[in-house]
Amino acid sequence: AADGAIVDALASWDSAARFRQPAGSTDALPGPWAQAWPVDGSVTRLSASTYRVAARAVDIEDTSLTAWSAGVLYVDLPRFASPAALIAHGDIRVDGSLAVLPADSASAAVCDAPPGWSGGILAAPGYAVPAGATVDPRAADDSTYAVFGGVTRADLASRADLALAGGSVVSAPVGNVTHAAGDLELTGGNGSGLLLVDGALRLSGSVVFRGVVVVAGGVTVANGTLSLAGQMRSAGGAAAVAVNTPAAMELRFDPCVIRDVEWHAGRVKLADFGSPPPRF
């Protein structure tokens, strides 16, 4: 029963609750449990991404340490720590309007904004960019758009809870991870989460998005609007971002939104101790 509770903890892991659990603290291990035996357990946060989970069947007489099943879990997290609302490898052409709003200072303090964050635009050298953008070679590095703290784009795509075919025309998606296997057009709506687009992203309506957007083929805002809280990365070459008249784009770097995306796109795993699992 206790071993089953550990498996259930993996299957029903609550990223939002665990992300906000203070390091060193212990919470009750939540259910529901698949097995019939009642279970008592706890989850202790050991570090930024590791937890000790322990459980036992509560109606057995043995209360010694050997009656417990326990293991160490870790969360395989992507990281989107680059300190900007927009990171682009290519031209950023604005024929409409582009507004970069200041990041909320409370959010930056609570959710550990990276040192030196500006909340603005990070652009690759040698391209057309708006006034005030920071030119940085990191924006020209392919890994900026393909590897996120050790988690690859391909791995994140495999975690998608919403998969869209190339050429899809939809309203803004809501989910932990959305993967479009080609070009994508958003016609409007409120979206959230991590959006991975293998082709070009086109916005033809009024789109509000809270999360992280990573685009391989460039972003065009055409006769619509985009209000983004979080971060956008576009590796579109000569057409990384195009905001066309009378379209508008509003960007806000939000560390708490980004952190939520990282945790909800993470995958919890049991640390490999060999077989059998350790007893505490």
Side-chain angles (χ1 to χ4, degrees):
D3 287 347
I6 302 298
V7 174
D8 291 344
L10 279 164
S12 59
W13 188 258
D14 185 346
S15 293
R18 301 284 72 81
F19 153 43
R20 290 173 172 81
Q21 181 179 347
S25 67
T26 299
D27 289 346
L29 185 66
W33 314 117
Q35 63 280 348
W37 290 82
V39 172
D40 183 22
S42 63
V43 53
T44 301
R45 188 170 190 176
L46 303 177
S47 69
S49 60
T50 57
Y51 299 80
R52 177 183 180 271
V53 176
R56 73 178 182 92
V58 297
D59 55 354
I60 60 175
E61 294 184 1
D62 187 356
T63 59
S64 68
L65 289 177
T66 58
W68 289 74
S69 179
V72 173
L73 309 181
Y74 71 96
V75 187
D76 189 17
L77 295 173
R79 297 307 304 267
F80 300 96
S82 296
L86 172 63
I87 304 169
H89 185 186
D91 290 345
I92 303 174
R93 298 192 178 276
V94 181
D95 296 321
S97 64
L98 171 64
V100 179
L101 304 180
D104 183 270
S105 57
S107 173
V110 169
C111 294
D112 300 325
W117 64 277
S118 66
I121 297 172
L122 208 64
Y127 293 92
V129 297
T134 300
V135 177
D136 192 305
R138 289 176 295 176
D141 189 336
D142 289 344
S143 66
T144 298
Y145 312 92
V147 183
F148 313 101
V151 181
T152 66
R153 180 191 179 96
D155 191 7
L156 286 175
S158 73
R159 303 179 187 184
D161 43 30
L162 177 59
L164 301 172
S168 293
V169 180
V170 298
S171 59
V174 176
N176 292 334
V177 181
T178 300
H179 174 232
D183 294 347
L184 177 66
E185 180 174 341
L186 300 183
T187 58
N190 295 323
S192 62
L194 173 61
L195 175 59
L196 300 172
V197 182
D198 289 350
L201 175 63
R202 176 181 172 88
L203 297 102
S204 58
S206 179
V207 174
V208 177
F209 198 87
R210 290 178 57 82
V212 175
V213 180
V214 183
V215 182
V219 179
T220 301
V221 184
N223 298 318
T225 62
L226 171 63
S227 177
L228 173 74
Q231 186 180 90
M232 174 180 285
R233 300 186 181 202
S234 176
V241 178
V243 182
N244 299 325
T245 304
M249 176 185 284
E250 181 180 273
L251 303 170
R252 184 191 295 274
F253 179 74
D254 191 317
C256 283
V257 169
I258 293 170
R259 185 61 62 86
D260 274 337
V261 166
E262 292 172 347
W263 276 84
H264 284 90
R267 180 168 292 175
V268 64
K269 299 180 180 181
L270 185 64
D272 185 8
F273 291 102
S275 182
R279 299 283 182 167
F280 293 87

